[in-house]
Amino acid sequence: MSIVGPKLRRVLAGKLFPGARSAGAAKARSNSGEEASSWHPRRVSIRAALAVTFGVIIAVTAAALILALESGRQNTFALVRDRSERIIDTIVERTRLHLDPARDQSEFLARLVRDGDLDPQDEAASLNQLRVALAGVPQVAALAVIRTDLKQLRAERHGDDVVLRKIDMRTVPGLDEAFEMARSAGHPVWEELLWSERLNQPLVNVRTPLWHEGSFVGILLTAVTVSELSRFLAESPTGSDVGAFILHGRNHVLAHAALAHKPQLLKRDKLLPEVTEIGDPVLASIWSPDPDLGAAAFVGSSKSHVVTVDRVPYVFIYRDITGYSDQPWVVGRYLPLDEIGSEVRRLEHAAWLGLGAVLVAVAGAWLVGYVIGKPILRLAGATSAIRTLDLTSARPLAGSHLRELDEAIRAYNALIATLHWFETYVPRRLVKQLMAQGEQASALVEREVTVLFTDIVDFTSFAERLSASDAAMFLNDHFQQLAACVEAEGGTIDKYIGDSLMAFWGAPEMQPDHSARACRAAIAIAAAIDGDNRRRRGLGLPPVRIRIGIHAGPAMVGNIGAPGRINYTLVGDIVNTAQRIEDVAKKCMTDEDEAVILVSDAVLRSAGPECSAQPVGEHILRGRHEATNVFRLEAS
């Protein structure tokens, strides 16, 4: 609660900032319906803020000179600690970035089995799913399903290829114990290292229990090679992880640059080499700290100590991480002590040379820059989202006490509100494509395109049983399902006509497979309608039946309309033909059909073997004299 009354605040504000109440601000308050007598914080100009800030800095420099040394030392130590923590955070993050996706992929596959989308007894489907999953996690060397009937289905890498295998596990000991441990755990568990005879190296592995239809059916084994983990850890994009390592326990090296290039260090009888066996003299001395140097006090919360190798001091920064084995891993990095302690020595030299006043001035300048720069950066980031029409990320911003920035932020917030109305009526994806291609994208040109029409069967009688609001709600939900299928295949929705939808492919971006995309979208629409009808039947509602017509051919594509109202659309006989092919579906549709997809022979020629269809004969379309070959697309 403020102890200064409103009247006194107005008097002080008038004395300190005469003329600060601009006509624009008064008008804004008038438009917002606020009373003229209400008080608001004054907006300070950037120049005034800078002048006042640096004036204060100059005034307090003499008094702050004594405190500058201690304050600067603490700040510098904090920066060094922050840098040291970032070093170890980066290595830990890279380790988790390499291993956690393997566990996540295991959980995903286990969910497929649990939800009934994948049956481990279906060996062909399971092997294919393992192949697909392996492609999504390049660090994983092998994925294997070990069933309780002691059969193993395995997908493993051989160079750039993936080999699928079926293995009889009846002679492998210890499987009953492994099954029981996985069943008891109930979730993915990182287990002890395994030796791979084929890869000639140990594997870091996670075992995930598999449940299907409420029954335990086996284990999913996901394996990552030690050499691949070492390579990923050592090959930092910035080169900042030189000297990085992972120890299994205290003395065995799990990941190091040497293990990525010297496979002979990995042996079956001794899975991991010791720190003294990999040819790194610095790492070999990790547990021999220099008693004269001790711990690096400025390293922060991570563990650290200093060793001396060939009279050069090195600091080890490391941290224990758990969850990947029965014993903690030591993840860390070493680097010359001079590299991490140089900031401290520079500060001390500068302090003894009497540069404390300069440091205070720099700190003041940084503070002013931060105060000014933070809202500018927020505004820049927000406007960057608008530039790409990412209106989901573009949020209204809070105001600023700096007048110029506050005006800019208010203009930005008004722009956001306007653009949200704009995107309601203009397809955002289409606008992005036109923006990416430049002005020539909207010029009227001839293109080979594919057009798709949909229509709800007997919608008029269907809608008669609904109120106007219910009918609108039904259509919105229906078009939302169809739009998702069209956009998933890169199509452009041209318009909604009553209960019908028109979409096309092949423009504005070139899509050589435009017909195949349209066919896939139509099949997806049929599947969506089928799924929605199951829901409707469960609610006691009548099913929705739909007809779809698709035709391909040349059309003029571009901006059509008057200057005040322009649509990016296409013009040509192909549009009428597609709609009339959809009309033919009335003759082909039975009472059992929920979705019928008819395509012309031009669509099949363009789509190629990807689309399978059955002929329904030649039809003379309305308004035409020549017959058109029509085919029914199989929705399987």
Side-chain angles (χ1 to χ4, degrees), residues 111 529 620:
R111 282 198 301 273
I529 293 297
I620 297 179

Side-chain angles (χ1 to χ4, degrees), residues 212-245:
H212 183 69
E213 296 181 352
S215 300
F216 177 77
V217 296
I219 299 173
L220 174 63
L221 180 68
T222 307
V224 178
T225 65
V226 167
S227 61
E228 186 63 28
L229 176 59
S230 297
R231 186 176 300 109
F232 183 80
L233 187 67
E235 294 177 356
S236 170
T238 62
S240 62
D241 287 340
V242 176
F245 60 87

Side-chain angles (χ1 to χ4, degrees), residues 327-470:
Q327 54 184 312
W329 290 359
V330 180
V331 178
R333 180 190 171 200
Y334 64 81
L335 63 162
L337 182 59
D338 287 344
E339 181 178 338
I340 198 169
S342 59
E343 292 88 348
V344 178
R345 285 189 297 277
R346 283 198 298 268
L347 170 67
E348 293 173 347
H349 295 159
W352 288 112
L353 292 174
L355 298 180
V358 175
L359 294 177
V360 172
V362 171
W366 176 86
L367 180 61
V368 174
Y370 176 79
V371 171
I372 297 175
K374 185 176 180 181
I376 293 177
L377 290 176
R378 287 192 294 118
L379 185 59
T383 53
S384 177
I386 293 179
R387 184 180 61 214
T388 59
L389 292 183
D390 184 11
L391 300 184
T392 303
S393 301
R395 304 292 188 193
L397 300 178
S400 171
H401 289 286
L402 299 176
R403 184 171 58 228
E404 292 83 351
L405 288 176
D406 189 65
E407 291 293 333
I409 290 173
R410 289 169 57 191
Y412 162 80
N413 289 340
L415 177 61
I416 287 294
T418 302
L419 288 178
H420 276 300
W421 280 104
F422 172 78
E423 71 168 339
T424 303
Y425 299 99
V426 179
R428 189 193 311 175
R429 180 176 174 276
L430 174 61
V431 175
K432 283 186 176 181
Q433 292 175 350
L434 295 176
M435 289 169 58
Q437 298 181 35
E439 295 182 359
Q440 68 277 10
S442 60
L444 201 61
V445 296
E446 185 176 35
R447 286 275 188 89
E448 286 290 329
V449 297
T450 300
V451 179
L452 176 147
F453 264 95
T454 72
D455 187 44
I456 298 176
V457 176
D458 293 331
F459 178 72
T460 301
S461 59
F462 180 83
E464 287 178 351
R465 299 190 295 270
L466 302 175
S467 65
S469 60
D470 289 341

